[in-house]
Amino acid sequence: MVSIRDRVKQLVPTQVTTRVKESLVDYGVRTSDRRPLPDFLIIGTKRGGTTSLWNYLIQHPLVPRLFPAWNTKSAHYFEEHWGRGEAWYRSHFPTERQREALAKRHGGPVRVGEAAPLYMFHPLAAQRVAALMPTVKLIVLLRDPVERAYSHWKERRTHGIEPLDFAAALAAEPERTAGERERLIAEPESFSEPYDWYTYRARGRYLEHLEPWLERFAREQILFLPSEDLYRDSRATYRRTLDFLGLPAYDLPNFKVYNDRRSAPLEPTVRAELTDYYRPYNDALRQRLGLDLDWADRAA
């Protein structure tokens, strides 16, 4: 039988941790006027390598992590936490003094950012970002939409959120997500789990979701990276990203793959159906962006 003293010992660390976290969050908000907004955002795509690229970037000595330390890669401000306000958002980034100290120590410009793959897909994120940070740089990872959809489903399945097999989940998507995009627009401070969780097919129609960003930001502010380039040659893609951000070269000892999910191959019939479905969307994307995407060739 657990004694009262033992129970207190078990509770105290949790209570202390909670108080420390609350204190750090409060401190961040109180000092938000000294915390500049980020220089760059990785806005997508989900299951396209955003976590890997983010982890490569924060190993650069001039790219600080978010504040407080338990924040992994995003504040999710422009989709989930919009109602918390700008001071709360600023609280996640280093102060001007911290930036200056880092720049002095390493002799180069500091670049602060976050990675939130739902930003690209959220119907209001582009206009929100443009209003608050019109000069921010944007990084977009684009993965073969067939592979992206399957990987998205595997993630939901692993987390115990998706009870359906992949084909059934694709069939259920329209009903599951019906009206959610419209609700996000009508209720600006709302958040939709179905819109985030079950949009396997919809998220691969990339151009549809990129147009609001292309309308608001100059092309030189956006770096488009095929996810397959990141997978095939992480080092070269990393260097290209550093050039885009104006950061000095910095080599990493290795390029670990984050959030990789091994599984059985995608069932050929489902692959063929999705490949046909995405073909016109991919063609329009290539024409609009002038990118050499080899997804159809790879699928064939």
Side-chain angles (χ1 to χ4, degrees):
M1 187 176 189
V2 181
S3 68
I4 293 177
R5 179 177 296 179
D6 289 337
R7 288 181 180 176
V8 170
K9 288 181 179 179
Q10 293 171 357
L11 288 172
V12 167
T14 301
Q15 293 171 343
V16 170
T17 300
T18 300
R19 286 200 296 271
V20 169
K21 285 188 173 183
E22 291 173 348
S23 177
L24 286 171
V25 171
D26 180 63
Y27 171 75
V29 174
R30 284 189 288 105
T31 57
S32 62
D33 60 336
R34 287 170 261 165
R35 299 177 182 273
L37 290 165
D39 306 291
F40 72 92
L41 301 175
I42 302 176
I43 64 170
T45 181
K46 183 177 180 63
R47 306 304 303 161
T50 57
T51 300
S52 291
L53 183 59
W54 171 254
N55 279 280
Y56 303 155
L57 287 173
I58 60 174
Q59 292 180 63
H60 194 290
L62 290 166
V63 182
R65 295 170 180 267
L66 297 186
F67 177 87
W70 62 79
N71 286 303
T72 53
K73 64 178 182 178
S74 177
H76 296 287
Y77 176 58
F78 296 102
E79 17 95 339
E80 185 173 359
H81 299 301
W82 179 247
R84 292 177 181 264
E86 183 181 336
W88 180 87
Y89 182 54
R90 285 178 177 269
S91 75
H92 291 77
F93 306 107
T95 63
E96 188 64 57
R97 179 179 293 182
Q98 290 168 330
R99 280 180 174 244
E100 291 171 356
L102 203 59
K104 184 177 180 181
R105 186 182 313 134
H106 297 286
V110 172
R111 296 291 184 260
V112 175
E114 63 162 336
L118 185 54
Y119 284 175
M120 186 178 90
F121 187 57
H122 193 282
L124 300 178
Q127 66 189 60
R128 290 170 172 174
V129 173
L132 186 62
M133 304 183 297
T135 61
V136 73
K137 291 195 170 185
L138 305 170
I139 299 171
V140 182
L141 286 152
L142 297 172
R143 183 181 184 181
D144 179 342
V146 177
E147 297 295 340
R148 193 225 66 82
Y150 188 40
S151 182
H152 187 171
W153 172 82
K154 286 188 288 184
E155 180 192 61
R156 298 295 86 195
R157 189 81 160 180
T158 301
H159 290 171
I161 293 170
E162 179 55 83
L164 303 178
D165 65 35
F166 186 44
L170 288 172
E173 180 176 333
E175 182 178 355
R176 282 171 155 181
T177 62
E180 292 301 305
R181 185 177 180 86
E182 292 74 16
R183 184 171 68 82
L184 290 172
I185 297 171
E187 303 171 14
E189 294 187 8
S190 65
F191 179 74
S192 170
E193 289 179 342
Y195 189 74
D196 184 17
W197 290 353
Y198 301 127
T199 43
Y200 306 118
R201 187 187 297 267
R203 288 208 194 197
R205 301 192 299 263
Y206 295 131
L207 185 56
E208 175 184 320
H209 312 302
L210 283 171
E211 284 293 2
W213 300 89
L214 293 168
E215 291 168 3
R216 292 171 171 84
F217 294 92
R219 182 61 186 271
E220 57 266 24
Q221 287 178 252
I222 310 176
L223 175 64
F224 293 102
L225 297 171
S227 300
E228 291 73 20
D229 288 357
L230 179 66
Y231 303 148
R232 285 188 293 241
D233 193 344
S234 300
R235 194 175 303 277
T237 304
Y238 172 67
R239 288 173 179 167
R240 185 181 173 193
T241 306
L242 296 185
D243 287 343
F244 172 70
L245 295 176
L247 286 164
Y250 183 80
D251 206 14
L252 302 182
N254 61 74
F255 289 86
K256 172 185 174 183
V257 177
Y258 291 79
N259 289 346
D260 189 26
R261 299 184 187 280
R262 304 293 179 179
S263 69
L266 176 56
E267 200 276 319
T269 303
V270 179
R271 178 181 295 280
E273 187 275 322
L274 283 175
T275 299
D276 288 343
Y277 174 81
Y278 284 123
R279 185 169 288 109
Y281 297 104
N282 293 344
D283 289 343
L285 181 70
R286 289 188 188 93
Q287 184 174 354
R288 179 75 164 89
L289 302 183
L291 293 179
D292 183 16
L293 302 170
D294 63 352
W295 297 330
D297 295 335
R298 291 175 68 252

